[in-house]
Amino acid sequence: MVPGLKVLLFLSLHLLQGVKSSMVHLNNNGYEGVVIAINPSVPEDDRLIQSIKEMVTQASTYLFEASKGRFYFRNVSILVPMTWKSKYEYLTPKQESYDKADVIVAEPYLKYGDDPYTLQYGQCGDRGQYIHFTPNFLLTDNLPLYGPRGRVFVHEWAHLRWGVFDEYNTDRPFYMSGKNKIEATRCSTGISGRNVVHECQGGSCITRQCRRDAKTGLHEPKCTFIPNKSQAARDSIMFMQSLDSVVEFCTEKTHNTEAPNLQNKMCNRKSTWDVIKESADFQNASPMTGTKIPPPPTFSLLKTKQRVVCLVLDKSGSMNSGNPVTRLTQMNQAAELYLIQIIEKESLVGMVTFDSTATIQNNLIRMVNESSHLEISAKLPQEAGGGTSICSGLREGLKAITSSNQRTSGSEIVLLTDGEDDQISSCFEEVKHSGAIIHTIALGPSAAKELETLSTMTGGLRFYSSEDINGLIDAFSGISSRSGDISQQALQLESKALNITGKGLVKGTVLVDSTVGNDTFFVVTWMTQKPEIILQDPKGNKYTTSDFRDDKLNIRSVRLRIPGIAETGTWTYSLLNKNARSQLLTVTVTTRTRSPTTLPVIATAHMSHKTAQYPSPMIVYARVSQGFLPVLGANVTAFIEAEDGHRVTLELWDNGAGADTLKNDGIYSRYFTDFHGNGRYSLKVNAQARKNTTKLNLKQPNKSLYITGYIENDQIVMNPPKPEVPDATGAPVEDFSRLTSGGSFTVSGAPPGGNHAHVFPPSKVTDLEAEFKGSHIHLTWTAPGKVLDRGRAHRYIIRTSQHSQDLQEDFHNATLVNTTGLVPKEAGSKENFEFKPETLKIENGTKLYIAIQAINEVSLTSVISNIAQAVKFIPPQEPNIPDLGTKMPVPSLTVFVFVATLFIF
């Protein structure tokens, strides 16, 4: 096996699932724990619940048939928001929440259609994040457009649960097959239909034969594939589940490896059924014998409850470490910021402190105003001492919740500790039984290694802070609202540590965009002496040190709450160190959305998995969006810090290459391989708008296929045209800045050094494109790196064949292209290369397939790229093409007589 291929095969087998904590599990062929959550902005409508029940029931039977008797939906929870009226049938959630739901029901951000989609950006076989249905999709008759809702759900469930991809491609709806035939991009090719152009003007429409594009030799851009309503083909659900005959996924026998779709790109031309067969679900489920129809699913109706949070904070002797600022002081700075600036209003909050024993400092208090915050923050610990008993803290935290007449189930505990405790596992079962969600913050390298077990077991978040002065502030800021109500969520605009010389002055800026500005705080912390502060808003109004409120707890922190709504624009600050010695200062700025009807730009981040066994690479993901729409062209930077303090800065890309699945989907990605030893690593991401280049993508990528029409009884029946999306990628986004914590992850088996060129090969080229230019072939692709997508590869190998299968199965014996003079560029750069096929007679219809590999300096070789196709097309003189049907007024459904003999693929 070629060096590097073996490595990547090993890596692919060891990549774990994405980090979103779904409650779904498979039990005796039935899926349990499925959560469908309705967004708080959706008006109360009982029809939604009924429609969801009907959709899931229908989907269960269809899934059972499609999986050949292996899977069905056994029980599903429907979570309604707090904004809906209470009913006796509504139960209290346990650990179910909107932010962990498998399916969300929410309005689209802009009114451009109701296409269902799955937020999916991992690698082949990785689970997606969630399925999004709009209320309108669930409540209106859209059978002709998407097919039965239950079938649509199964299509999206395959994305979500098994990590397969669509077998259509709206950007490349046609391709030239190996038989020199224009085919619609689909799977299987057994699905029959015709290719037509349907045009409407002046109140009438015509349907005509497709012309060939003079440049590509394929059908013109307006051409569309219209399937026959009646089919013999049984697959595939990932192409067109709306067809009555389609009840299966494409298999190895029926899979169309030539189609230029995402399934072939992401899964190396493997069929969807083959990917599903490799899933843990399939490995753990045999077909149910003697059962033709599964039992109907059961439904639980849950209503979101008010948020309940108890802080459980370590004040043991080790919290005294740190000079001049102790860990205890850093904890208090961060906890106070959380209480005043992050936790949502009306939440119930309590606090417990612990060393070798634990004390309830506050039972639950409703956060209604400033005095509520102060009542809790006044009890933050002032002295540290004693041992570490984490279980004592957790037990008292649960007691603080129940003593306030609240259920522990679904309540949250924020546990912070820096110490080890060999008795921590003694309360695991007790905590699990309570149903509470435990978010853990590990402070320093000696924090108990079992903390991650607690958060994983209960569905909580996990964070790590080294001695980084603002690491705890960033961690607490990441524990935000779980309800889906974006107006309640605090957003970080800035979190910066500044090393300022004695008597020195430092200046900076903070951008407040027009979507935020409510409840805006500027916080400054210091190590030895309070600096002189001047803050100026965009209109020139100034705030000075005297305007900032001193903290009564002596935790070296001051804050300023901007009255009303903060001015939009650039705020400037200057900090003067009055001390003769240098010191570290921090500046933190948080805010909330300007109004409940204004959706701000949001940034979220996570690693591809929570634990890694070296040499498995990890992928950093950051999503930048406004509402549900992707924000394109942002500057997105990840900061990853290891236990030994080593810090890596990564620019994340949305270019559809390397670790990035899809270009321009608002998901910014990059491989992370710069491991510095074992232990915990923390992730933080900063997203900023690029001047005049950041835009909102008005089209949601990866959505369900909108069926343009059918052929029935030799007549074309067209569906209503899809709503037009004006300037799909051109909606400008104003300048903004966001900071977000991506939590922590753990690594084992890694060497202490950071040079991994001998372990990781260059990443696979996934966007190779080819076209004839005269007698030459012009290639373009995105450069991989020396180590996956970092650095510069050493050289390229390019091979060609007139048969794509040769490149798939026997790449190393295909024709080698002379690449003398082709020097690889830095990873992420655009590569261009031209060559003349030496032994190929070039004429009209000549077709050539091309693939590429990259090699690094130690001869590790990338996986073979996607296979590009170049077709030499000399356009003939265009004959007159008759219309296929007479002009007629445009009704909601338009019927055309079809002339069968005029159509070929």
Side-chain angles (χ1 to χ4, degrees), residues 652-843:
L652 306 186
W653 298 333
D654 184 16
N655 60 358
D660 195 60
T661 301
L662 196 63
K663 185 177 182 179
N664 289 340
D665 64 349
I667 308 298
Y668 298 77
S669 317
R670 201 79 183 273
Y671 284 110
F672 172 70
T673 59
D674 199 357
F675 299 106
H676 269 250
N678 298 324
R680 296 180 173 109
Y681 289 66
S682 64
L683 169 66
K684 184 165 70 173
V685 167
N686 178 247
Q688 292 182 317
R690 287 178 176 163
K691 197 76 175 177
N692 300 322
T693 62
T694 305
K695 300 180 182 296
L696 197 64
N697 188 348
L698 301 183
K699 287 185 177 179
Q700 181 62 249
N702 279 346
K703 56 197 175 189
S704 282
L705 187 62
Y706 187 100
I707 311 300
T708 54
Y710 297 96
I711 299 169
E712 196 168 7
N713 300 323
D714 275 345
Q715 292 185 327
I716 300 178
V717 181
M718 299 299 294
N719 286 322
K722 196 170 181 182
E724 287 290 325
V725 179
D727 195 14
T729 59
V733 176
E734 64 182 299
D735 289 355
F736 67 84
S737 179
R738 298 289 185 271
L739 203 87
T740 186
S741 173
S744 67
F745 60 98
T746 53
V747 175
S748 58
N755 182 12
H756 304 284
H758 64 289
V759 176
F760 300 105
S763 60
K764 173 185 173 180
V765 172
T766 59
D767 60 349
L768 180 65
E769 296 281 348
E771 64 174 339
F772 270 100
K773 286 192 173 181
S775 59
H776 288 69
I777 291 179
H778 182 75
L779 303 179
T780 62
W781 68 94
T782 302
K786 176 173 72 174
V787 178
L788 294 174
D789 57 6
R790 295 186 75 186
R792 189 192 299 259
H794 181 57
R795 63 186 178 94
Y796 291 119
I797 298 173
I798 300 176
R799 294 184 183 271
T800 69
S801 175
Q802 290 185 273
H803 305 283
S804 63
Q805 199 166 0
D806 291 347
L807 295 175
Q808 292 175 34
E809 299 175 359
D810 196 17
F811 176 81
H812 304 289
N813 287 321
T815 303
L816 184 66
V817 174
N818 184 353
T819 56
T820 303
L822 175 58
V823 179
K825 296 180 181 177
E826 193 72 18
S829 305
K830 207 63 182 175
E831 299 273 27
N832 291 275
F833 180 69
E834 264 191 21
F835 69 95
K836 184 177 181 179
E838 298 295 337
T839 59
L840 190 66
K841 182 181 179 182
I842 299 172
E843 55 191 6

Side-chain angles (χ1 to χ4, degrees), residues 107-359:
E107 299 285 0
Y109 173 43
L110 297 172
K111 303 294 183 180
Y112 296 124
D114 297 289
D115 295 329
Y117 70 92
T118 300
L119 183 62
Q120 175 192 20
Y121 47 78
Q123 304 299 295
C124 182
D126 287 352
R127 291 175 187 167
Q129 302 300 303
Y130 59 75
I131 299 167
H132 179 187
F133 294 126
T134 68
N136 199 45
F137 171 80
L138 292 169
L139 295 177
T140 58
D141 179 15
N142 43 43
L143 182 67
L145 308 180
Y146 306 101
R149 277 188 280 265
R151 288 181 167 228
V152 174
F153 186 29
V154 171
H155 174 102
E156 300 302 336
W157 183 261
H159 283 304
L160 181 77
R161 187 70 184 175
W162 301 315
V164 298
F165 294 86
D166 289 324
E167 292 167 334
Y168 47 83
N169 187 339
T170 54
D171 293 325
R172 294 187 62 184
F174 298 98
Y175 68 98
M176 185 68 71
S177 77
K179 297 178 180 178
N180 283 333
K181 202 174 170 186
I182 299 177
E183 292 277 9
T185 301
R186 69 199 192 283
C187 193
S188 67
T189 53
I191 291 179
S192 60
R194 293 145 188 173
N195 307 320
V196 300
V197 172
H198 177 66
E199 295 178 306
C200 297
Q201 192 173 8
S204 62
C205 296
I206 60 167
T207 299
R208 61 170 175 82
Q209 181 183 354
C210 299
R211 300 184 179 96
R212 295 186 76 171
D213 185 278
K215 184 179 179 181
T216 65
L218 300 174
H219 290 316
E220 60 188 295
K222 292 181 180 179
C223 186
T224 187
F225 173 73
I226 308 294
N228 292 312
K229 184 73 173 173
S230 177
Q231 300 274 348
R234 294 174 61 83
D235 48 12
S236 170
I237 290 169
M238 298 314 293
F239 171 60
M240 200 174 282
Q241 75 286 333
S242 57
L243 297 171
D244 290 344
S245 69
V246 171
V247 292
E248 296 177 0
F249 294 95
C250 259
T251 65
E252 184 181 8
K253 291 182 179 179
T254 60
H255 181 59
N256 177 9
T257 59
E258 293 184 311
N261 55 36
L262 207 54
Q263 174 64 22
N264 279 330
K265 173 190 171 182
M266 295 303 301
C267 299
N268 287 325
R269 297 171 292 276
K270 193 180 292 183
S271 77
T272 51
W273 185 243
D274 283 335
V275 175
I276 293 168
K277 283 165 66 176
E278 293 174 357
S279 70
D281 289 351
F282 193 95
Q283 300 296 320
N284 294 320
S286 301
M288 294 174 66
T289 56
T291 305
K292 291 185 177 180
I293 299 176
T298 60
F299 297 92
S300 301
L301 301 182
L302 312 175
K303 185 180 177 185
T304 303
K305 68 172 188 174
Q306 192 64 55
R307 193 175 186 192
V308 175
V309 180
C310 185
L311 304 184
V312 176
L313 307 177
D314 188 348
K315 67 176 190 69
S316 62
S318 55
M319 293 293 287
N320 261 330
S321 64
N323 184 29
V325 176
T326 65
R327 289 177 176 176
L328 190 76
T329 298
Q330 288 187 42
M331 178 186 75
N332 287 343
Q333 289 173 347
E336 185 181 62
L337 181 141
Y338 180 73
L339 291 167
I340 295 175
Q341 299 171 220
I342 306 299
I343 193 73
E344 308 92 312
K345 288 181 174 60
E346 299 296 326
S347 297
L348 296 169
V349 181
M351 185 171 67
V352 168
T353 57
F354 70 93
D355 42 50
S356 52
T357 60
T359 304

Side-chain angles (χ1 to χ4, degrees), residues 25 47 85 91 116 133 173 192 198 260 289 315 371 468 481 508 574 592 637 642 742 768 790 832 842 848 884 888:
H25 58 277
R47 294 179 304 155
K85 295 175 184 174
L91 305 176
F133 294 126
S192 60
H198 177 66
T289 56
K315 67 176 190 69
S371 64
D468 178 11
S481 170
S574 65
R592 298 186 199 272
T637 307
L768 180 65
R790 295 186 75 186
N832 291 275
I842 299 172
L848 194 66
L884 303 180
M888 59 185 69

